[in-house]
Amino acid sequence: MPDAVGRTRPGQLDQIPDRDPEETAEWLASYDAVTQAAGPHRAAYLMRRVLDHASAGDTTGPGGGPALPALLETEYINTIPTAAEPAYPGDEALEARITAWTRWNAAAMVTRGSKLGLGGHIATFASAAWLYETGFQHFFRGKEGAGSGDQLYIQGHASPGVYARAFLDGRLSEAQLDHFRQEAGGDGLPSYPHPRRLPWLWEFPTVSMGLGPLSAIYQARFNRYLEHRGIKDTSGSHVWAFLGDGEMDEPESTAALALAGREGLDNLTFVVNCNLQRLDGPVRPNFKIVQELEAQFRAAGWNVVKALWGSAWDAVIAQDTEGALLRRLREVPDAQFQTYATRDAAYIREHFFGADPALRALGGTLADAKLLELFQTSRAGHEPRKVYAAYRAAVEHKGAPTVILAQTVKGHTLGAGFESRNANHQMKKLTLAQFRTMRDLLELPIPDSALAGDTVPYWHPGEDSAEMRYLRERRAALGGPAPARRVTPKPLPLPAADNKAYKALEQGSGSQEIATTMAFVRLVKDLMREKETGRRWVPVVPDEARTFGMESLFPSAGLYSPRGQTYDPVDRDQLLYYKEAKDGQILNEGITEAGSLADFTAAATSYATHGEPMIPFYIFYSMFGFQRTADQFWALADQLGRGFVIGATAGRTTMTGEGLQHADGHSHLLASTNPAAISYDPAFAYEVAVIVREGLRRMYGPGRPEEDADVFYYLTVYNEPKVQPAMPAGVEEGILKGLYRYQEAAGAAAGAPRLQLLASGTAIHWALDAQRLLAEDWGVAADVWSAPSWTELRREALECDAARLRGEERIPYVTRALEGAPGPVVAVSDWMRAVPDQIAPWVEQDWTSVGTDGFGLSDTRDAARRHFGVDPQSVTVQALAALARRGDIEPAKVKEAAERYGL
């Protein structure tokens, strides 16, 4: 039976007591009456007006306004009505001419470069020109004013427009524009925003699509972190991320939306250029990307501003008394709108207005020219007043981040051959005839004679022109040029080399067994107590701080939360309780390696972004570091990030019971591909101390070359408790270079067969056991070497090879270190053999490597090591086999050893 409101099943509200069912019934009856008398559109309109009125929050009455959830989707029209737009503060005519010059020079730069087959992108900036120019003229704060200025994440494919504007403001020359995508000579312009390649201009690498929006969110969050911790006042900094609607398909693009909404990051604005096109076709051919994104962002707690239609639509929408136009705008898919932008008025009249009888009359009142204006050019993203209104609403909104969904036409002003064409991503140049058409459309004073040759010219209005005076005045008012990257060296006073934190590890652990993971955590905990640098450490952990023994930092350092701690923690009565604080130091990010690395990147580049060097360390399961987020590590390197990356619980056989996906035997191979990653696999706690001390000196200390500091350190540490020995004398250089003799063979008989065992990380213990077995069971003398960095040994050897080609006589360190060492070399590690094999070409002795190639598996450590053939007995047999191949022992001994050890 139907209930009182006509439903056959109870609704969600039926479980809440209704104190006045009669009043409720009257409201519902009123809705039904309007629907029957005036139609569903009128009923929906009234419901929306009531909801908007309630959401406006009349808080003057008792208890304030009602707390109503917002709709996830609104009509397909502008959020800000024309009547509500603020007065435009600029000179529109001058700004239009500046924008026209930028459009021209961007297209000219790419076209000139295309003669060399270099390519480039034209259509993206053409659609987004006013989105950028309005910001440059009125919003984007530079670094020459107070604070740190704004942080701009430029859409990668729009870089030609930024270069063209930098040419206008005098920061780039024609010669530099002519070296777009020609970097080998050292003075070219990179194709996209690459800070490492053009470090005075670009702050953030964004063209690995999806990483820009993710990084922007965590940058805005880190700005708040610096402010809340009292490091720097960042309240005047705003983060702007310019994105493409197609880019929003990348999982990383929307991965942290909820974080931004949850923490109320109103210092952040996304500007999504909704030209409805991906690289090769429509973004949502049969759907509507604007509506989809609106729902996603609203659900995540963002303020959404839709800037879709230009002013030509105002009068047409005002005539839509029956809602037919809004209904039609809502139902037409994106691919069809793209088609409308390329067809004639007759097609639009028939297929848009003729599809709904209620619209035919409205369409009949519009001239052909008006129809073409509506569907081909009149987009809010092409009108500075609409863009300004959206930006102003964004920066004035408090309590939530803002996304601006700005509709444009891809390839706008480039002519009919470019605009809204699926192929415009592959179209890299304009003909001179197309440039003449573009000149006329933009009303640029370029004479025909300048376009008579076969090369389109760059054009500048002149340093004393009204345009340039205006441009300079506006940028001066906003704090100087943008985008811009500034580095003012600010070395940190580092702990002394004999600091007790280092000494504690260098002296060893006595009889206590500790893992190198715990040794690192103890070291950093002690360094965080240092008066000068302690507050600059930024621990970043993806949820499992307790796994790495970091809970001792909770009460002292605190976990950062912009709200502090609004609850009573369940472990409050324990010494190491879970303490959140607004000024907390630890960034405990939850289960997100991507978010954690974005956090790390913001901290690792704070020395440039804010002029405040911070010392981040990002600690994680080593398997879930480089493998999961290698693309972000490349972006970190491009952004010249500095800090410590810690692959904890490392190795393929030390994570007992965790199995295949937790068994890291290859992250050092992945790290070796990143030129900025200084990689180490320390065997002992004292090696950790030496490496961290050197890393701090190189990245943060006084007196080092600034360019040498643009690296980050990757250390793998283990969860296998071992007695940590004291540091032998004189090994610091070998630790840092990557190889030193740790323990020579002792008591060997004269003439005994000899060999060299090289090991890194936890494998040093297998090598030491093998050294004993070789001596006791087979009369073989083996020296054991610690190899903290196979990768650094290889890099130094490659530098020596390059120097020899230049006529210099340089011998690689690894060759010199092993020079004269008798017998073959056997390298062993908890990594794939390809990791130690990096140095094989520079080892003069016979080379053998032993490693953990293949997939990981769940078992005890001993069983896993036997499976991979890296346990001490297996290493012993491999060593004997290497000797047998040289004829130093009888081959029968190899078989005998294998049988004795049950291999």
Side-chain angles (χ1 to χ4, degrees), residues 456-523:
V456 62
Y458 300 118
W459 213 264
H460 195 288
E463 289 300 322
D464 293 329
S465 64
E467 294 97 320
M468 290 302 97
R469 290 197 301 271
Y470 183 86
L471 185 151
R472 287 191 293 267
E473 289 170 2
R474 292 306 309 139
R475 288 315 311 162
L478 289 167
R485 183 177 181 273
R486 299 283 186 270
V487 178
T488 302
K490 187 177 180 180
L492 298 179
L494 300 180
D498 60 353
N499 184 277
K500 62 181 181 180
Y502 300 130
K503 287 297 182 183
L505 299 192
E506 292 171 0
Q507 291 168 0
S509 63
S511 60
Q512 181 186 13
E513 291 187 338
I514 66 169
T516 49
T517 294
M518 182 55 65
F520 174 82
V521 171
R522 289 183 181 179
L523 174 64

Side-chain angles (χ1 to χ4, degrees), residues 40 62 97 114 164 168 189-190 272 390 411 415 456 529 531 536 551 580 603-604 616 649 796 813 852 865 896:
R97 289 206 293 274
S114 293
L168 283 187
L189 300 181
V272 184
V456 62
R529 294 193 180 104
K531 180 179 179 181
R536 294 189 178 271
E551 63 269 26
E580 295 190 79
T649 59
E796 192 268 347
Y813 173 82
T852 54
R865 287 163 186 170
E896 181 185 347

Side-chain angles (χ1 to χ4, degrees), residues 38-122:
H41 171 75
R42 179 61 180 169
Y45 175 81
L46 291 174
M47 293 296 293
R48 285 293 308 279
R49 289 305 296 253
V50 171
L51 182 60
D52 286 349
H53 178 73
S55 299
D58 180 6
T59 58
T60 57
L68 292 174
L71 293 177
L72 294 184
E73 190 177 310
T74 62
E75 297 288 0
Y76 199 65
I77 55 175
N78 297 344
T79 301
I80 304 172
T82 300
E85 292 172 3
Y88 195 73
D91 186 321
E92 289 188 73
L94 281 176
E95 291 180 18
R97 289 206 293 274
I98 293 169
T99 306
W101 290 122
T102 304
R103 289 180 183 275
W104 177 273
N105 289 322
M109 180 182 70
V110 175
T111 298
R112 288 163 70 117
S114 293
K115 289 187 174 183
L116 300 177
L118 295 171
H121 300 283
I122 304 177

